[in-house]
Amino acid sequence: STTRRLLQEELDAGYVVQFLGDLDQARSIYGDLLAVGKLGLAVAAGRDTRLVLDTTSSGVTPGVFTEEKPQYPSPFCMSEFMQSELPTSSNQYRGLIIDVNKAHKRIRLHPSEMGLSFFEFENTLYHYVVCHFGGAWSAYWWARLSALLHRRCHQLVSGEPFGAIFYDDWFWHLV
């Protein structure tokens, strides 16, 4: 029932669409770029349960290669940096944290890549039209977009702001 409810939310939001056909019809459209992953639930204490599309089982994740790998600072590293590297000439600091809700899902897949995001639930085929939680490429595409937005923010904010991207969050230190 939880999977059904969460899937309906994804359908209503436009993140997932039902494929109107069978596996052979999907194969005729996507050819070698068709992979049917396993749909599951990510359950963690203190967090909402969410859908996860396991694309490892379909062979997609092991086949993903990106030359760039995002590296994220740990909260400890951020704290150390704040204490040792930022100027202390003023006591007028402002901090800002921005959490981008469903960040990966803000990136739409190219139609030719949608075949790699198929899954089956209750004998019906579906596929994501956006980067989904669990996709090896999802973090990569979000990192690229967030880096672009981050550079633009630096151009717009006066002074000497410090900003860091931490997964789907931005941390800003403003003087």
Side-chain angles (χ1 to χ4, degrees), residues 8-17 108 127-130:
Q8 188 59 54
E9 289 175 11
E10 299 284 89
L11 288 162
D12 293 344
Y15 301 142
V16 171
V17 297
R108 203 160 176 79
H127 66 86
Y128 274 91
V129 296
V130 296

Side-chain angles (χ1 to χ4, degrees), residues 25-40:
Q25 290 169 312
R27 208 174 274 120
S28 71
I29 294 170
Y30 295 102
D32 291 341
L33 292 177
L34 175 68
V36 181
K38 292 182 181 178
L39 190 65

